[in-house]
Amino acid sequence: MVSFDLDTELSTKSSLPPVKSPRPRRSRRVKAKEIPYSLPELVQHSLGLHPDLIWGPFYQKFRAARIERDNWKEFNLDTLWSGIPATTQKRPGILSRCIGWLEGEDPRPTLSEGALKTGRGRMNRHLDGDEDDDDDDDNEDDSDDDEDTPGARPMYRKSKPPTSGGSAKGKPVPWTSKVPLNNDWSPTQIDFSAWHGRYKHPQDYDDTFYHNTYLAVYNAICQCVDKWFGSNIYLDDWRDSDADISIWQVPMTDQFVQYARCVAHEDVGYVNWHDILNDPAHRKWLVAGIFGQIIERNIFNSLLFGASESYKKELERHDSQWVLQEGFTRKEGRRQIARAALNNTLLPSKFWDSVDDLAGQTILIFQPLFTLMCLVTGKPPASSGAMFLQEVHSILAMAGYFQICTAISPSIFHILSATPGARFQYEEETHADHSIYHRSRDFHGSHNERWHVLADAALSTDTALSQSLLSRVTDPNETASYTPLPTTEEEYRYRDHFRRRGGKVMYAVFPKLTRYSAENIGSHLSDPRRPTSLQENEGGQGEGMRISLLSKCLVVYYQGLLHSVNDLDDGTPLDAHLRDIALSRMPGHFLPYMNRTWRSDGKQNAARLHWPLWPEHVDRFWLWWLMALVTSQTLRFCLVGGDFDFPVLVALLAGKSFAWYVLEAGIYVFARGNFLRGHGRYWKLQVVNLGILAVGYGLVYLGRGQGQGREGNQTGALFAKLAGPLAWLDGVVLGKLPEVVVKIGEVLGVEKEAGGYVRSVVQRYGDGLGSGSGNGSGSVV
């Protein structure tokens, strides 16, 4: 209970408690090297079209790396394909890629089929350094023992299966073994028979196996992200300037942003979205959480990872037909189908193809951030990307093998992820990193102590002390979080209630794993390590169910507000942060700007005009259409009819009447679901316009030829009045354009040799075009 008779106590307090665990602002440490611009680069940079501008606050350093580093080559799918022999890759042809781009359906990143068919001999030579290991294959034990086997070591795999004597030949090697880069970037495939010491699955595995294998996948993810995205590197140290620019201004892939929404929540006032990408500890857990979501959605949620198309359809059909049946009965049917798909082997037929495809897509999700880390660490993105692919490939293969083991088990497995921003649930979750939570707790706890001192002073009779303490708070954001101070006891209690904090989920790193096993309840199983839930009938006979919690949700907590009035008080969504960045980039806080994004193959899209104020639910085609309409009508009203230095440009912009724009809109609405799909919808419509021009001119020409004298000309003129595109063609192509070409020839005529030739040719063809333009030359309808 708070006491408000504090005059005596406050007289001894003349200072505020210190702020614990503050985050000091980091300044730019590595100065960007200034490299002179060429004239084309200067023009591109001024218009916002230079490709390196996609790297935002790191633009100059990327430009210097691209120019000065011999080994600098940005990592994308083409780079990866170029490092894999053509005999082991399946790559869509250039025609297919062009058609896919036009239709807005880029081909999925893939490295299959059967890609990367590295033989087992190559793997053993790579792991053990022994090229003669294959000679001992005949000595391996191929027994069909169905007893439960202990789980694999969390971080290791064995190079050989256990021999009949029970020992393994060779030493265990790390799963992160370096991929060979000698003219072949194909990832090495894990030999699961060597890793787990068997050639077929038993009837079921015990809890220890599932727990250890699940833990092995999690530990592998942590090692991988710490190596490639941690490295104790603060990205703020590598900015081009000291300007306060969010690292999220470097556009991440759409899938990266989508997954980041699902796994991360900012700690407002302490670790915002910018700090999440800047700080190595936070960046590590963000990427680890995205890895976990990729595995959960694409592997754990599948009925049998790597199954052929026929078995996949059969599993889906069975699952939908039996959706209303009891859980264990339904799982037993899926289990039998899954075992048939394995055909007495460890892996289904399309397992490695599925791993290859998912690995290729996964590395491209991280491509912008991975390239940024390579810039800072000095690693070559291309060859480092091949090593990153190897580790991702191994992690996904381990997760896929784990899913297969759950699919052939009669038990039911439940995967559950934590929700960022939700209250802590210690019975469901466990800490992945205590240090982040402790720093957040100390920081916010010290601020609450400072607020209590200021609030107590405000309630006391010593007004001078209250003002003196408040004046010592130098940060305006901190001052805003303290004020207004309470003036009554009721207001004090109200504000104190809404300032209370507790543990909340900041990063949902890895999901919870629960196993439900059907067991006979003849005798009660009491094992404190394995919680049991039994269901019995009145006679004591029947079936029961064992619930085994194999792994809790791995999360990272922060000290968040427990009773916030507004959800935004405890953190803004990532989409809001990205929108704030887009609004801050607008020239004059109103005009659109050129923006670049990433394609699904890791390359840049062409620069596009982006206007954040345009409603997202409205098609951007109408933005271009409206801009062209306004420009055209303005020129028609103000400029047409004068003597201009650029008559062709004026005619191109002002020659289209309002009726033509209405026709364009009608065509677009009509063809919305068919032709005008994918990229460049506005420019596809211009191709249609050009076709209309060609057809219209041909019809008019034929109409003139069929008429007799004046009557024929009137027929053609009448058609020209009805066809706006023809009038535009008549005015621009056959009127203004030849005049400009002739003027260019006259200027070039200063040169005796080349000029005389060009002038003669231009005049010859100019006269021919002019004679065919008719009386309507230069007219605008």
mmCIF file of all heavy atoms in Angstrom, residues 572-594:
data_model
loop_
_atom_site.group_PDB
_atom_site.id
_atom_site.type_symbol
_atom_site.label_atom_id
_atom_site.label_comp_id
_atom_site.label_asym_id
_atom_site.label_seq_id
_atom_site.Cartn_x
_atom_site.Cartn_y
_atom_site.Cartn_z
ATOM 1 N N THR A 572 4.269 -1.042 -31.637
ATOM 2 C CA THR A 572 3.597 -0.868 -32.920
ATOM 3 C C THR A 572 3.824 -2.094 -33.797
ATOM 4 O O THR A 572 4.879 -2.725 -33.738
ATOM 5 C CB THR A 572 4.131 0.377 -33.640
ATOM 6 O OG1 THR A 572 5.549 0.244 -33.830
ATOM 7 C CG2 THR A 572 3.863 1.622 -32.835
ATOM 8 N N PRO A 573 2.873 -2.455 -34.636
ATOM 9 C CA PRO A 573 3.073 -3.587 -35.557
ATOM 10 C C PRO A 573 4.160 -3.266 -36.583
ATOM 11 O O PRO A 573 4.458 -2.101 -36.864
ATOM 12 C CB PRO A 573 1.698 -3.745 -36.222
ATOM 13 C CG PRO A 573 0.739 -3.013 -35.354
ATOM 14 C CD PRO A 573 1.511 -1.913 -34.714
ATOM 15 N N LEU A 574 4.717 -4.307 -37.161
ATOM 16 C CA LEU A 574 5.754 -4.127 -38.167
ATOM 17 C C LEU A 574 5.221 -3.386 -39.386
ATOM 18 O O LEU A 574 5.925 -2.559 -39.971
ATOM 19 C CB LEU A 574 6.311 -5.492 -38.585
ATOM 20 C CG LEU A 574 7.378 -5.487 -39.686
ATOM 21 C CD1 LEU A 574 8.574 -4.621 -39.305
ATOM 22 C CD2 LEU A 574 7.829 -6.911 -40.006
ATOM 23 N N ASP A 575 3.979 -3.655 -39.774
ATOM 24 C CA ASP A 575 3.414 -2.967 -40.928
ATOM 25 C C ASP A 575 3.341 -1.463 -40.701
ATOM 26 O O ASP A 575 3.579 -0.673 -41.633
ATOM 27 C CB ASP A 575 2.015 -3.511 -41.230
ATOM 28 C CG ASP A 575 2.054 -4.920 -41.780
ATOM 29 O OD1 ASP A 575 3.120 -5.324 -42.291
ATOM 30 O OD2 ASP A 575 1.037 -5.629 -41.699
ATOM 31 N N ALA A 576 3.020 -1.055 -39.487
ATOM 32 C CA ALA A 576 2.972 0.378 -39.187
ATOM 33 C C ALA A 576 4.362 0.997 -39.268
ATOM 34 O O ALA A 576 4.526 2.131 -39.744
ATOM 35 C CB ALA A 576 2.363 0.600 -37.799
ATOM 36 N N HIS A 577 5.375 0.268 -38.798
ATOM 37 C CA HIS A 577 6.748 0.777 -38.890
ATOM 38 C C HIS A 577 7.186 0.919 -40.349
ATOM 39 O O HIS A 577 7.794 1.920 -40.731
ATOM 40 C CB HIS A 577 7.691 -0.163 -38.145
ATOM 41 C CG HIS A 577 9.122 0.256 -38.184
ATOM 42 N ND1 HIS A 577 9.605 1.344 -37.491
ATOM 43 C CD2 HIS A 577 10.197 -0.260 -38.859
ATOM 44 C CE1 HIS A 577 10.895 1.478 -37.721
ATOM 45 N NE2 HIS A 577 11.277 0.519 -38.546
ATOM 46 N N LEU A 578 6.854 -0.060 -41.185
ATOM 47 C CA LEU A 578 7.216 0.016 -42.593
ATOM 48 C C LEU A 578 6.474 1.147 -43.295
ATOM 49 O O LEU A 578 7.033 1.799 -44.193
ATOM 50 C CB LEU A 578 6.922 -1.320 -43.277
ATOM 51 C CG LEU A 578 7.723 -2.525 -42.776
ATOM 52 C CD1 LEU A 578 7.281 -3.792 -43.495
ATOM 53 C CD2 LEU A 578 9.221 -2.304 -42.968
ATOM 54 N N ARG A 579 5.245 1.378 -42.907
ATOM 55 C CA ARG A 579 4.497 2.490 -43.518
ATOM 56 C C ARG A 579 5.095 3.827 -43.104
ATOM 57 O O ARG A 579 5.170 4.755 -43.921
ATOM 58 C CB ARG A 579 3.024 2.406 -43.127
ATOM 59 C CG ARG A 579 2.199 3.549 -43.707
ATOM 60 C CD ARG A 579 0.711 3.311 -43.565
ATOM 61 N NE ARG A 579 -0.060 4.446 -44.063
ATOM 62 C CZ ARG A 579 -0.307 4.678 -45.343
ATOM 63 N NH1 ARG A 579 0.163 3.858 -46.263
ATOM 64 N NH2 ARG A 579 -1.027 5.716 -45.716
ATOM 65 N N ASP A 580 5.527 3.950 -41.866
ATOM 66 C CA ASP A 580 6.173 5.192 -41.435
ATOM 67 C C ASP A 580 7.445 5.449 -42.241
ATOM 68 O O ASP A 580 7.762 6.595 -42.588
ATOM 69 C CB ASP A 580 6.505 5.121 -39.948
ATOM 70 C CG ASP A 580 5.258 5.159 -39.073
ATOM 71 O OD1 ASP A 580 4.202 5.585 -39.580
ATOM 72 O OD2 ASP A 580 5.339 4.737 -37.905
ATOM 73 N N ILE A 581 8.193 4.390 -42.542
ATOM 74 C CA ILE A 581 9.395 4.544 -43.364
ATOM 75 C C ILE A 581 9.019 5.034 -44.759
ATOM 76 O O ILE A 581 9.655 5.940 -45.317
ATOM 77 C CB ILE A 581 10.152 3.210 -43.443
ATOM 78 C CG1 ILE A 581 10.720 2.831 -42.069
ATOM 79 C CG2 ILE A 581 11.281 3.280 -44.467
ATOM 80 C CD1 ILE A 581 11.377 1.473 -42.044
ATOM 81 N N ALA A 582 7.978 4.434 -45.339
ATOM 82 C CA ALA A 582 7.555 4.841 -46.683
ATOM 83 C C ALA A 582 7.085 6.296 -46.700
ATOM 84 O O ALA A 582 7.410 7.053 -47.629
ATOM 85 C CB ALA A 582 6.448 3.915 -47.174
ATOM 86 N N LEU A 583 6.360 6.723 -45.688
ATOM 87 C CA LEU A 583 5.897 8.108 -45.638
ATOM 88 C C LEU A 583 7.056 9.080 -45.478
ATOM 89 O O LEU A 583 7.043 10.178 -46.051
ATOM 90 C CB LEU A 583 4.900 8.284 -44.482
ATOM 91 C CG LEU A 583 3.558 7.557 -44.631
ATOM 92 C CD1 LEU A 583 2.744 7.685 -43.352
ATOM 93 C CD2 LEU A 583 2.784 8.090 -45.819
ATOM 94 N N SER A 584 8.079 8.691 -44.717
ATOM 95 C CA SER A 584 9.226 9.582 -44.511
ATOM 96 C C SER A 584 10.076 9.724 -45.764
ATOM 97 O O SER A 584 10.835 10.687 -45.883
ATOM 98 C CB SER A 584 10.092 9.054 -43.355
ATOM 99 O OG SER A 584 10.673 7.799 -43.693
ATOM 100 N N ARG A 585 9.968 8.798 -46.715
ATOM 101 C CA ARG A 585 10.767 8.848 -47.935
ATOM 102 C C ARG A 585 10.128 9.718 -49.016
ATOM 103 O O ARG A 585 10.768 9.993 -50.033
ATOM 104 C CB ARG A 585 10.986 7.437 -48.484
ATOM 105 C CG ARG A 585 11.815 6.538 -47.600
ATOM 106 C CD ARG A 585 12.042 5.195 -48.255
ATOM 107 N NE ARG A 585 12.771 5.319 -49.508
ATOM 108 C CZ ARG A 585 13.005 4.312 -50.349
ATOM 109 N NH1 ARG A 585 12.541 3.119 -50.055
ATOM 110 N NH2 ARG A 585 13.665 4.510 -51.462
ATOM 111 N N MET A 586 8.880 10.144 -48.848
ATOM 112 C CA MET A 586 8.221 10.941 -49.873
ATOM 113 C C MET A 586 8.831 12.340 -49.953
ATOM 114 O O MET A 586 8.931 13.024 -48.925
ATOM 115 C CB MET A 586 6.721 11.056 -49.572
ATOM 116 C CG MET A 586 5.951 9.758 -49.717
ATOM 117 S SD MET A 586 4.159 10.027 -49.675
ATOM 118 C CE MET A 586 3.993 10.852 -48.104
ATOM 119 N N PRO A 587 9.244 12.783 -51.129
ATOM 120 C CA PRO A 587 9.740 14.160 -51.266
ATOM 121 C C PRO A 587 8.645 15.159 -50.923
ATOM 122 O O PRO A 587 7.530 15.077 -51.431
ATOM 123 C CB PRO A 587 10.142 14.245 -52.754
ATOM 124 C CG PRO A 587 10.336 12.829 -53.184
ATOM 125 C CD PRO A 587 9.356 12.031 -52.384
ATOM 126 N N GLY A 588 9.003 16.083 -50.049
ATOM 127 C CA GLY A 588 8.011 17.071 -49.635
ATOM 128 C C GLY A 588 6.891 16.484 -48.815
ATOM 129 O O GLY A 588 5.857 17.139 -48.643
ATOM 130 N N HIS A 589 7.060 15.261 -48.329
ATOM 131 C CA HIS A 589 6.050 14.569 -47.521
ATOM 132 C C HIS A 589 4.729 14.401 -48.275
ATOM 133 O O HIS A 589 3.676 14.206 -47.651
ATOM 134 C CB HIS A 589 5.791 15.312 -46.209
ATOM 135 C CG HIS A 589 7.016 15.495 -45.367
ATOM 136 N ND1 HIS A 589 7.580 14.468 -44.643
ATOM 137 C CD2 HIS A 589 7.806 16.586 -45.167
ATOM 138 C CE1 HIS A 589 8.656 14.912 -44.025
ATOM 139 N NE2 HIS A 589 8.818 16.190 -44.318
ATOM 140 N N PHE A 590 4.785 14.444 -49.626
ATOM 141 C CA PHE A 590 3.564 14.277 -50.393
ATOM 142 C C PHE A 590 3.789 13.563 -51.717
ATOM 143 O O PHE A 590 2.957 12.753 -52.141
ATOM 144 C CB PHE A 590 2.933 15.652 -50.661
ATOM 145 C CG PHE A 590 1.692 15.575 -51.513
ATOM 146 C CD1 PHE A 590 0.499 15.153 -50.956
ATOM 147 C CD2 PHE A 590 1.725 15.923 -52.859
ATOM 148 C CE1 PHE A 590 -0.645 15.062 -51.738
ATOM 149 C CE2 PHE A 590 0.582 15.844 -53.639
ATOM 150 C CZ PHE A 590 -0.610 15.417 -53.074
ATOM 151 N N LEU A 591 4.909 13.817 -52.382
ATOM 152 C CA LEU A 591 5.127 13.318 -53.728
ATOM 153 C C LEU A 591 5.553 11.854 -53.721
ATOM 154 O O LEU A 591 6.178 11.382 -52.766
ATOM 155 C CB LEU A 591 6.195 14.164 -54.431
ATOM 156 C CG LEU A 591 5.861 15.645 -54.599
ATOM 157 C CD1 LEU A 591 7.042 16.380 -55.222
ATOM 158 C CD2 LEU A 591 4.607 15.826 -55.443
ATOM 159 N N PRO A 592 5.243 11.106 -54.772
ATOM 160 C CA PRO A 592 5.697 9.703 -54.867
ATOM 161 C C PRO A 592 7.189 9.630 -55.132
ATOM 162 O O PRO A 592 7.831 10.617 -55.517
ATOM 163 C CB PRO A 592 4.882 9.153 -56.044
ATOM 164 C CG PRO A 592 4.526 10.342 -56.860
ATOM 165 C CD PRO A 592 4.377 11.486 -55.902
ATOM 166 N N TYR A 593 7.763 8.462 -54.939
ATOM 167 C CA TYR A 593 9.195 8.248 -55.139
ATOM 168 C C TYR A 593 9.412 6.895 -55.804
ATOM 169 O O TYR A 593 8.518 6.050 -55.848
ATOM 170 C CB TYR A 593 9.950 8.322 -53.809
ATOM 171 C CG TYR A 593 9.557 7.256 -52.811
ATOM 172 C CD1 TYR A 593 10.238 6.039 -52.739
ATOM 173 C CD2 TYR A 593 8.508 7.455 -51.925
ATOM 174 C CE1 TYR A 593 9.871 5.063 -51.833
ATOM 175 C CE2 TYR A 593 8.138 6.491 -51.015
ATOM 176 C CZ TYR A 593 8.816 5.296 -50.972
ATOM 177 O OH TYR A 593 8.460 4.324 -50.077
ATOM 178 N N MET A 594 10.632 6.706 -56.336
ATOM 179 C CA MET A 594 10.968 5.449 -56.988
ATOM 180 C C MET A 594 11.373 4.421 -55.941
ATOM 181 O O MET A 594 12.225 4.689 -55.085
ATOM 182 C CB MET A 594 12.101 5.656 -57.988
ATOM 183 C CG MET A 594 11.801 6.668 -59.078
ATOM 184 S SD MET A 594 10.303 6.301 -60.012
ATOM 185 C CE MET A 594 10.769 4.757 -60.800
#
